Amino acid sequence: MGDILVGTCSWTDPALVSSGWYPTGARGAEGRLRHYAARFPVVEADSTFYALPAERVSALWAGRTPEGFLFDVKAFALLTGHGARVGALPASLRPPGLDPAAWVRKSQLPEDAVTQLWQRFTAGVAPLRDAGRLGTVLFQFSPWFRPGARSRAYIEECRERAGTPIAVEFRHPGWLTPDRIDETAGFLRDQGIPLVAVDTLQGLPDSVPPVAEATAPGLSVVRFHGRSPQWGTGSKENRYRHHYTRDELRDWLPRVRALAERTDQVHVLFNNCCAQASVEAAATMSELLTDQRDEGDLRDDSDRRDDGDRVREALPDS
């Protein structure tokens, strides 16, 4: 059985910071991370999606967290089919004549600039990797990243250029339809890349099926995005606004445990940004997993006692 690590998709989300979860004296950058890392063993760094990671900052993260703590780092937006603000690019890589507030896509950049983006990203996460704090680099591909040979080739390119293990989350539901899931999972298994399982509200045009397939021996990832009816359409706050109930989380326990049976480690991350909703859901999931494990241990002990009784019954009287 692999280890199951539970955390959230950010420790700096404004809704969480303003919720009061961080106590007085732990509201600066260092205090927040130390407070978080004392309560959860893994976190997702999502700031790297909006701007390239800085080596100095990654080194600070590594130094402020205990041995064994892990960061799953989101790949920069331009590397996953999304757009990014021109101002988020290093000055030397910005297309000339564009306003810093304008949006740009990777296709608008020359190839040498794209190569530099990759180099800067890998250098930015290197301190986490070198300190043993890097769990994976998460490539959350855009909703218009459709299944097909060209997309599969790009995933292979990402695996090669990232220089570290990656995981893949699809936002286009076509990758995980019943007639395609075997092909998608088989491709990722061949590449040794974890398929990120997601929880969202089902029945919407952009709903991603909650497929939990172990496609890499070292890691599985599950991301809980909430069950907002505005998934895929509303503002960020509305898309991810949700308070998980115990029953909603309990329904995922068999899938999470099944992933742990097939991989060395499972990361369960909550992305439902609404005040303390993410940390509360993470704490509840941790509790449910612990309760289930303890129940399993009790059953195992009972089975062993029953086996012992049967053996004793079969022995001749002394």
Side-chain angles (χ1 to χ4, degrees):
M1 174 73 72
D3 295 329
I4 303 173
L5 308 185
V6 181
T8 68
C9 290
S10 174
W11 73 98
T12 61
D13 184 82
L16 176 60
V17 172
S18 63
S19 71
W21 186 71
Y22 290 108
T24 302
R27 294 178 182 174
E30 180 174 356
R32 287 196 301 264
L33 182 52
R34 290 190 183 278
H35 180 80
Y36 177 96
R39 287 152 181 80
F40 299 104
V42 64
V43 75
E44 181 180 294
D46 68 343
S47 61
T48 53
F49 178 80
Y50 303 100
L52 289 167
E55 293 179 66
R56 180 186 65 84
V57 174
S58 292
L60 288 173
W61 291 350
R64 292 168 176 171
T65 49
E67 190 73 25
F69 186 87
L70 294 176
F71 292 84
D72 288 353
V73 177
K74 285 186 74 173
F76 183 50
L78 288 185
L79 304 179
T80 60
H82 294 86
R85 298 283 188 185
V86 172
L89 299 175
S92 61
L93 302 183
R94 296 175 187 175
L98 291 182
D99 187 281
W103 289 88
V104 65
R105 296 193 180 280
K106 183 166 69 71
S107 59
Q108 297 173 254
L109 302 179
E111 185 55 38
D112 65 324
V114 174
T115 298
Q116 289 189 56
L117 282 180
W118 278 106
Q119 292 172 345
R120 288 172 184 251
F121 182 86
T122 56
V125 300
L128 292 174
R129 182 196 62 214
D130 296 344
R133 298 289 196 277
L134 183 61
T136 191
V137 174
L138 170 67
F139 281 79
Q140 178 192 292
F141 288 110
S142 68
W144 42 91
F145 188 76
R146 297 175 177 276
R150 184 177 177 183
S151 294
R152 290 194 298 272
Y154 184 65
I155 294 172
E156 293 185 49
E157 179 184 344
C158 291
R159 179 181 58 80
E160 294 169 1
R161 299 183 78 163
T164 191
I166 71 171
V168 166
E169 177 180 338
F170 296 112
R171 289 295 175 91
H172 190 296
W175 289 91
L176 303 177
T177 55
D179 62 332
R180 196 182 288 271
I181 180 56
D182 288 344
E183 178 184 1
T184 297
F187 165 71
L188 293 177
R189 286 193 183 98
D190 290 343
Q191 299 297 316
I193 298 174
L195 168 65
V196 177
V198 299
D199 180 83
T200 66
L201 184 67
Q202 296 300 294
L204 303 175
D206 295 325
S207 294
V208 179
V211 174
E213 287 275 348
T215 58
L219 178 68
S220 290
V221 182
V222 185
R223 298 179 81 222
F224 285 79
H225 296 305
R227 299 184 179 182
S228 169
Q230 297 190 50
W231 171 259
T233 59
S235 66
K236 177 184 176 183
E237 289 74 16
N238 289 331
R239 289 198 306 272
Y240 299 99
R241 188 183 301 277
H242 183 70
H243 288 269
Y244 278 101
T245 67
R246 294 181 72 88
D247 286 343
E248 288 170 343
L249 298 179
R250 192 178 286 110
D251 286 345
W252 267 90
L253 294 181
R255 280 173 279 188
V256 172
R257 302 292 282 187
L259 291 173
E261 293 282 357
R262 294 169 174 80
T263 51
D264 296 333
Q265 199 169 82
V266 182
H267 293 182
V268 179
L269 299 164
F270 286 88
N271 196 31
N272 52 318
C273 56
C274 180
Q276 301 185 40
S278 60
V279 292
E280 289 173 352
T284 300
M285 177 61 88
S286 297
E287 179 185 331
L288 290 171
L289 287 165
T290 299
D291 290 346
Q292 188 183 62
R293 183 191 63 206
D294 291 345
E295 290 172 4
D297 290 343
L298 288 173
R299 284 195 295 270
D300 291 343
D301 289 343
S302 177
D303 290 343
R304 284 192 289 270
R305 287 194 296 271
D306 290 345
D307 289 343
D309 290 343
R310 284 191 290 271
V311 169
R312 285 190 292 273
E313 290 168 0
L315 292 173
D317 293 337
S318 56

